[in-house]
Amino acid sequence: MGLTSRTTVYATAAVAVLCVALLVWLWPRFARPGLWQVLGRLAVIGVTQVTIVAAFACAVNSSYQFFGSWKELFGDVDTAPVGVTQAAGGGGSVTGVSSVHGALVQPGGDQQLNRVDGLPDGPAATVGRVESVKIVGRRTGVVDPAFVYLPPQYFQKAYHRMRFPVIVALSGYPGSIFNLAQHLRVSQTAGELQAKGQMQPTIMVMIRPTVAPPRDTECVDVPGGPQTETFLAKDLPEAIRSAYRAGHDAGSWGVMGYSSGGSCALQLTMRDPGVYTTAAALSPDYKVKDDPTTGNLFGSGPDRQARVDGHDLMWRLKHLPVPQVSVLVANSRHGEKGYPQTEAFIKAVRAPMRVVSILPENGSHNFPTWVREMPAALKWMNGQLNFPQDVVPRHPAKRSTEAGGASRPTPAAPAPGGHGSLRAEGTEPGSGATARR
């Protein structure tokens, strides 16, 4: 019997019921005075409680997939590297807290980042920097904490007129940004891959999609309630571009997440392809549904069903034009209950949308599995994004020289598989990017 199978749940529940029945039946015999009777009472109570707790734990684990197998439960975790499979159907370290000031990105205060990020301290131009900020939604009024990882190149002279690609990392519910930084190791993994030359310099934004805690809004614009999709698809990119040298076109932006954060990443990319063109979803769902943690996400009235269908990705693939985006989905063949849905999603994708997958043989709905999948997911995502874009100065005649007449250093070329080389882009008045950094 597999640890997560319904047979295991029913078997442990049956054992627990049997133990309770035996306790009731045998209790009169143990109610007599004497040492052995006292020890007998303690033993039957202990065995009964253990079986009840075991039955409850198996039921919870079967639903949430914390441990995918008996081997994993006892500490035998598979750490072998995973790879990205082309699927059919589709064609940092910390040097201080935030120095950002502005209307939309504000300092987040001391978050004890040195304990969150595991890389050695050093100058920002050598190891990068993680900043603690608050993202202020101009349209939604949402204020959400975030960590922003800036790669070392962001602070180097050769890149000082460059806009960088951005990957937004979303936590699951009810996770926090510390889960992304400390347990999923987003900034550490990105820094390590960049140091090895396996990933181009990229800004990483770590944020939680739970904008109205404790309610789980599942990246939905709730009628009369929190506007989570608007915050993540409009307010967040606007805020990041206003404070950092971030890419302006959708080809420079990707979004990833685990669990419900992965579901959100797919939803944002397929619903808002003009904002995010790439997504990586680790153990996602493919349909948003109401439950006790979400409340009523879709309102009432004649438009309710249309809103429900709009957040059902399988329905979208069948009934709506397919967006020109690239997505990665990850799910374990054994140990995660979402594998059949992932297979169905992969088969349903059609051109011009592209899908790849990470499908390890064994895994669970937990951080050890997602950490194992992170390097492959980040490297694949990075290959889909436009890499550093040249910010053209206001006077084109001076493009060839820096102050003092020296030639402008040439930045590193994109990694193989990218969507293009360095592209010219005009500096927009009021962007604040160059002035702030």
Side-chain angles (χ1 to χ4, degrees):
M1 295 185 297
L3 179 59
T4 60
S5 69
R6 303 309 298 178
T7 303
T8 301
V9 176
Y10 297 146
T12 53
V15 171
V17 171
L18 178 62
C19 287
V20 171
L22 288 174
L23 173 64
V24 173
W25 178 261
L26 297 174
W27 190 257
R29 299 185 182 183
F30 295 114
R32 302 167 186 172
L35 176 62
W36 290 109
Q37 285 74 14
V38 171
L39 294 176
R41 290 197 294 270
L42 293 175
V44 295
I45 290 174
V47 170
T48 302
Q49 291 191 349
V50 167
T51 57
I52 292 174
V53 171
F56 179 76
C58 284
V60 171
N61 186 68
S62 178
S63 296
Y64 294 98
Q65 309 286 304
F66 297 117
F67 298 97
S69 65
W70 295 104
K71 289 173 59 178
E72 189 173 6
L73 176 65
F74 292 106
D76 187 2
V77 179
D78 190 357
T79 59
V82 296
V84 174
T85 301
Q86 299 291 335
S93 100
V94 178
T95 59
V97 297
S98 175
S99 59
V100 177
H101 296 273
L104 304 180
V105 178
Q106 300 174 354
D110 185 359
Q111 297 285 347
Q112 293 184 318
L113 296 182
N114 284 304
R115 298 183 183 179
V116 173
D117 197 294
L119 301 177
D121 291 331
T126 302
V127 295
R129 183 164 73 195
V130 175
E131 298 189 333
S132 170
V133 301
K134 292 179 180 178
I135 306 296
V136 180
R138 183 171 64 84
R139 298 166 185 81
T140 60
V142 170
V143 180
D144 211 14
F147 291 146
V148 179
Y149 167 75
L150 302 172
Q153 291 84 351
Y154 192 91
F155 305 96
Q156 296 171 6
K157 186 177 180 181
Y159 289 81
H160 83 281
R161 288 208 305 250
M162 295 293 162
R163 297 192 186 279
F164 290 80
V166 179
I167 294 177
V168 177
L170 302 173
S171 66
Y173 176 83
S176 70
I177 56 176
F178 280 96
N179 287 347
L180 293 164
Q182 192 168 28
H183 298 300
L184 196 60
R185 302 186 76 250
V186 171
S187 56
Q188 298 96 314
T189 304
E192 291 164 1
L193 291 174
Q194 291 175 35
K196 295 175 182 177
Q198 298 177 354
M199 180 177 175
Q200 290 288 337
T202 303
I203 296 173
M204 307 292 299
V205 179
M206 293 163 272
I207 196 165
R208 61 178 185 178
T210 308
V211 300
R215 185 178 185 182
D216 179 14
T217 53
E218 289 282 342
C219 293
V220 172
D221 280 349
V222 181
Q227 303 294 288
T228 312
E229 182 177 1
T230 297
F231 174 74
L232 293 171
K234 295 182 179 180
D235 287 344
L236 173 63
E238 177 186 67
I240 294 299
R241 291 186 185 110
S242 75
Y244 298 99
R245 300 196 310 277
H248 278 192
D249 64 281
S252 301
W253 284 71
V255 57
M256 71 178 304
Y258 66 89
S259 191
S260 62
S263 307
C264 183
L266 290 178
Q267 293 276 342
L268 288 170
T269 303
M270 293 182 65
R271 289 175 56 86
D272 301 280
V275 180
Y276 300 103
T277 57
T278 303
L282 312 182
S283 306
D285 290 321
Y286 301 93
K287 181 179 181 179
V288 176
K289 297 180 290 187
D290 290 342
D291 64 34
T293 66
T294 66
N296 184 355
L297 293 174
F298 304 106
S300 57
D303 296 334
R304 173 180 167 83
Q305 189 59 46
R307 288 192 286 268
V308 172
D309 290 340
H311 287 277
D312 182 342
L313 300 186
M314 297 298 289
W315 184 93
R316 294 184 70 91
L317 288 172
K318 184 176 180 180
H319 295 94
L320 298 180
V322 177
Q324 189 171 348
V325 296
S326 299
V327 301
L328 177 150
V329 290
N331 227 299
S332 303
R333 298 175 188 271
H334 303 288
E336 292 193 81
K337 63 180 181 180
Y339 181 74
Q341 290 75 26
T342 295
E343 272 196 319
F345 177 82
I346 292 171
K347 293 177 181 178
V349 170
R350 63 187 188 277
M353 185 173 172
R354 295 174 58 245
V355 60
V356 300
S357 61
I358 297 176
L359 303 174
E361 195 66 26
N362 297 288
S364 302
H365 199 81
N366 59 18
F367 284 108
T369 296
W370 300 325
V371 168
R372 184 179 165 216
E373 296 165 346
M374 269 291 291
L378 279 178
K379 286 190 285 186
W380 175 84
M381 284 192 76
N382 202 238
Q384 313 308 307
L385 301 177
N386 292 338
F387 291 109
Q389 304 160 10
D390 191 4
V391 180
V392 180
R394 293 182 183 275
H395 304 289
K398 298 181 180 179
R399 287 186 63 187
S400 61
T401 60
E402 300 287 338
S407 297
R408 178 167 57 86
T410 302
H419 272 217
S421 57
L422 305 182
R423 307 194 328 168
E425 181 177 344
T427 303
E428 297 189 3
S431 70
T434 303
R436 293 179 187 280
R437 308 314 312 152

